[in-house]
């Protein structure tokens, strides 16, 4: 019962575990029923558990009434979206839940800190500009970008904040498009390393990007943006506001498109189904995946969203109505921990296609996405031999196997 209590992923299952632990506690204490002290202790334990049951039930119903969800991950991710609609009772209940989870929940063997469940953040004033580009660029930088700020505690030569965005070598046209249209930075070709860099160093150009993305960030990289703004405000006697985490719904802007262009991946799998060694049929599976490291390397305050990527990845998982996974990769002397969201069923695919219809991708992943959609369309209903051959041909030129890149879709990238 204790295992059910501490491993439950929703409030209902947690309640079952709680009740089970209460029953076991009562039976354990009252085992020596012939002893008066044991009898009195068992009654005391029973009454204490009933009081706990009462408040736990009230809390569960308050959360269900406010959010309509039972799963921890979906409740936590919903809080950032519905911050202004949650009753004080629910907020108080969830704050207690955070402290309980801090003591009882482990992720990959590491104790969870309160920053892993940074749920309720204060409302921030957003920039009036809410164009397509602003959230898209924020998502792109949060995925494959770096905001460098001089550390005053070092004796290295001081430098102004700079922004560097890395692109796959095949996405050089996108890097050049952003540089040309925004009139910022220069593209540095690192073909030998398989990538290009959009390096933004000039004072006015860095300020332009900061003003575009400020108020649209959703991950712990917000801390680097705040450091850059604080440095600029102090040195230039300016007053750029430190806007907080963007808590708007994911489907309301292009942030996820930019984040996908950085860290997303589309997959096509073709495999033979067999039963007891006998071939049954050939099946096709399409999937979409976003994977990021679990924690920022820097300390991030709760007001900035905390140092864990748990909250934003939970929000993405809830958006696609799928589970959030953890992954551990080991190298020779290091262990890497990551969160992963995998959209693998028809419902999540429907949501994904609807989103990218409204907020398209602009890297070479747009080409992968179009092929991915075509495979799904060819796979509808029974899979004919001709359609299977077309799918195999698509897979042979998919992702890293692609040889021809058509970036005509960049003509539709909006800069206003």
């Amino acid at each position: 019962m204790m295992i059910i209590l501490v491993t439950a992923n929703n409030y209902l299952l947690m309640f079952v575990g709680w009740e089970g632990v209460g029953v076991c506690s009562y039976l354990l204490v009252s085992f020596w029923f012939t002893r008066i002290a044991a009898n009195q202790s068992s009654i005391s334990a029973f009454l204490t558990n009933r009081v706990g049951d009462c408040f736990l039930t009230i809390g569960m119903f308050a959360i269900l009434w406010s959010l309509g969800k039972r799963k921890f991950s979906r409740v936590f991710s919903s809080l950032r979206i519905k911050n202004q609609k949650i009753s004080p009772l629910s907020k108080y209940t969830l704050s207690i839940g955070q402290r309980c989870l801090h003591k009882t929940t482990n992720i990959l063997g590491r104790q969870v800190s309160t920053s892993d469940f940074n749920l309720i953040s204060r409302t921030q004033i957003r920039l009036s500009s809410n164009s397509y580009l602003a959230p898209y660029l924020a998502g792109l930088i949060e995925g494959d970008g770096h905001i460098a700020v001089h550390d005053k505690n070092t004796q290295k030569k001081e430098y102004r904040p700079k922004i560097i965005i890395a692109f796959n070598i095949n996405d050089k046209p996108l890097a050049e498009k952003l540089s040309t249209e925004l009139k910022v930075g220069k593209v540095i070709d690192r073909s030998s390393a398989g990538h290009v860099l959009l390096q933004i160093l000039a004072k006015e150009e860095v300020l332009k990007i900061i003003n575009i993305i400020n108020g649209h960030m959703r991950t712990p990289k917000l801390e680097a943006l705040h450091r850059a703004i604080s440095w600029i405000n102090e040195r230039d006697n300016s007053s750029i506001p430190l806007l907080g985490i963007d808590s708007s719904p994911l489907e309301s802007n292009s942030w996820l498109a930019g984040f996908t262009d950085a860290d997303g991946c589309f997959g096509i799998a073709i495999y033979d189904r067999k039963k007891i060694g006998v071939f049954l049929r050939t099946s096709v599976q399409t999937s979409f995946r976003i994977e990021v490291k679990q924690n920022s390397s820097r300390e991030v305050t709760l007001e900035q969203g905390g140092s864990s990527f748990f909250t934003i990845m939970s929000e993405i998982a809830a958006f696609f109505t799928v589970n959030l996974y953890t992954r551990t990769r080991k190298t020779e002397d290091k262990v890497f921990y990551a969160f992963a969201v995998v959209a693998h069923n028809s419902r999540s695919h429907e949501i994904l296609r609807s989103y990218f219809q409204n907020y398209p991708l602009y890297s070479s992943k747009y080409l992968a996405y179009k092929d991915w959609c075509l495979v799904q369309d060819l796979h509808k209903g029974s899979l004919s031999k001709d359609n299977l051959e077309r799918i195999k041909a698509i897979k042979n030129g998919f992702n890293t196997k692609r040889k021809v890149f058509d970036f005509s879709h960049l003509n539709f990238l909006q800069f206003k």
Side-chain angles (χ1 to χ4, degrees):
M1 284 300 175
M2 182 62 75
I3 292 176
I4 294 176
L5 175 63
V6 299
T7 61
N9 67 345
N10 63 74
Y11 289 101
L12 182 60
L13 194 57
M14 182 187 72
F15 184 76
V16 172
W18 171 267
E19 287 298 308
V21 169
V23 171
C24 292
S25 175
Y26 173 77
L27 295 176
L28 179 64
V29 175
S30 63
F31 177 78
W32 300 102
F33 59 91
T34 57
R35 299 180 181 178
I36 296 177
N39 276 327
Q40 291 176 339
S41 297
S42 64
I43 294 173
S44 176
F46 178 82
L47 293 176
T48 302
N49 282 328
R50 296 295 71 76
V51 173
D53 291 346
C54 178
F55 285 102
L56 185 59
T57 305
I58 291 173
M60 287 171 54
F61 277 108
I63 293 169
L64 191 61
W65 175 73
S66 298
L67 302 174
K69 296 178 174 65
R70 290 182 291 106
K71 277 195 172 183
F72 296 148
S73 60
R74 295 185 181 180
V75 168
F76 297 158
S77 62
S78 296
L79 285 175
R80 292 174 62 187
I81 298 173
K82 300 184 178 182
N83 185 39
Q84 298 304 307
K85 301 179 182 178
I86 299 172
S87 66
L89 176 60
S90 296
K91 290 185 180 181
Y92 178 71
T93 303
L94 285 160
S95 69
I96 295 175
Q98 278 187 269
R99 291 194 288 268
C100 293
L101 285 167
H102 174 74
K103 295 179 180 179
T104 60
T105 307
N106 286 336
I107 295 179
L108 295 175
R110 297 180 298 109
Q111 194 70 29
V112 176
S113 65
T114 53
S115 63
D116 287 309
F117 297 97
N118 177 44
L119 310 176
I120 303 172
S121 59
R122 59 187 180 179
T123 305
Q124 301 288 354
I125 300 173
R126 302 290 159 202
L127 291 177
S128 58
S129 171
N130 191 27
S131 66
Y132 178 93
L133 180 65
Y136 174 85
L137 193 58
L140 188 66
I141 291 174
E142 289 186 273
D144 279 339
H146 175 63
I147 302 174
V149 185
H150 177 75
D151 186 354
K152 60 184 178 182
N153 294 322
T154 66
Q155 297 186 3
K156 294 181 179 179
K157 183 179 178 181
E158 188 175 46
Y159 60 87
R160 292 190 63 85
K162 54 188 176 182
I163 299 173
I164 301 171
I165 310 174
F167 297 83
N168 184 282
I169 188 63
N170 297 320
D171 292 325
K172 186 176 180 180
L174 174 59
E176 292 173 338
K177 176 79 171 179
L178 291 172
S179 178
T180 302
E181 296 294 335
L182 291 172
K183 297 180 174 58
V184 297
K186 66 177 181 178
V187 177
I188 301 175
D189 195 319
R190 297 282 177 83
S191 300
S192 58
H195 65 263
V196 297
L197 300 175
L198 174 54
Q199 193 173 73
I200 305 168
L201 305 178
K203 172 183 174 180
E204 295 303 322
E205 295 175 0
V206 171
L207 282 173
K208 178 186 286 189
I209 298 300
I210 286 177
N211 284 321
I212 289 175
I213 66 175
N214 192 17
H216 294 285
M217 300 188 79
R218 296 174 181 260
T219 74
K221 280 194 178 179
L222 176 66
E223 180 273 339
L225 178 66
H226 281 187
R227 273 191 293 117
I229 293 175
S230 297
W231 192 98
I232 292 170
N233 286 344
E234 182 181 341
R235 298 298 194 285
D236 300 344
N237 196 27
S238 57
S239 56
I240 303 172
L242 297 175
L243 299 183
I245 288 285
D246 182 0
S247 59
S248 62
L250 283 173
E251 64 270 23
S252 67
N253 61 44
S254 57
W255 181 88
L256 186 56
F259 198 59
T260 297
D261 265 340
D263 287 330
C265 179
F266 295 92
I268 300 173
I270 303 174
Y271 57 94
D272 293 334
R273 286 187 176 274
K274 296 181 179 180
K275 187 175 181 179
I276 318 178
V278 179
F279 172 80
L280 297 177
R281 65 181 182 278
T282 299
S283 294
V284 177
Q285 176 70 48
T286 54
S287 63
F288 169 74
R289 181 187 189 94
I290 294 180
E291 183 173 325
V292 299
K293 62 182 180 180
Q294 286 192 7
N295 294 290
S296 170
S297 56
R298 280 185 169 270
E299 215 174 295
V300 184
T301 66
L302 292 177
E303 288 76 12
Q304 294 170 332
S307 60
S308 174
F309 282 79
F310 176 83
T311 304
I312 182 58
M313 291 299 284
S314 295
E315 188 176 335
I316 295 173
F319 175 59
F320 288 127
T321 65
V322 296
N323 292 322
L324 177 63
Y325 300 96
T326 58
R327 183 185 179 192
T328 305
R329 291 187 294 111
K330 295 182 179 180
T331 59
E332 293 179 358
D333 57 345
K334 292 183 179 180
V335 179
F336 298 93
Y337 300 100
F339 288 123
V341 173
V342 183
H344 54 80
N345 54 45
S346 58
R347 172 59 180 159
S348 59
H349 291 171
E350 181 183 342
I351 295 171
L352 186 146
R353 292 181 66 160
S354 174
Y355 175 82
F356 287 132
Q357 184 69 27
N358 294 325
Y359 304 104
L361 301 168
Y362 286 101
S363 71
S364 58
K365 289 173 186 175
Y366 171 80
L367 306 177
Y369 166 69
K370 298 300 287 185
D371 285 344
W372 186 82
C373 290
L374 178 57
V375 168
Q376 290 182 358
D377 295 338
L378 292 172
H379 191 224
K380 285 181 179 178
S382 58
L383 185 61
S384 67
K385 185 176 180 181
D386 289 342
N387 284 352
L388 178 59
E389 292 303 317
R390 288 184 64 186
I391 291 173
K392 287 181 178 179
I394 291 172
K395 181 174 171 56
N396 289 335
F398 194 68
N399 286 342
T400 57
K401 298 178 182 178
R402 185 179 298 277
K403 302 299 181 184
V404 179
F405 295 87
D406 177 9
F407 276 90
S408 58
H409 60 279
L410 286 180
N411 296 330
F412 301 99
L413 182 53
Q414 304 170 21
F415 287 89
K416 294 182 180 181

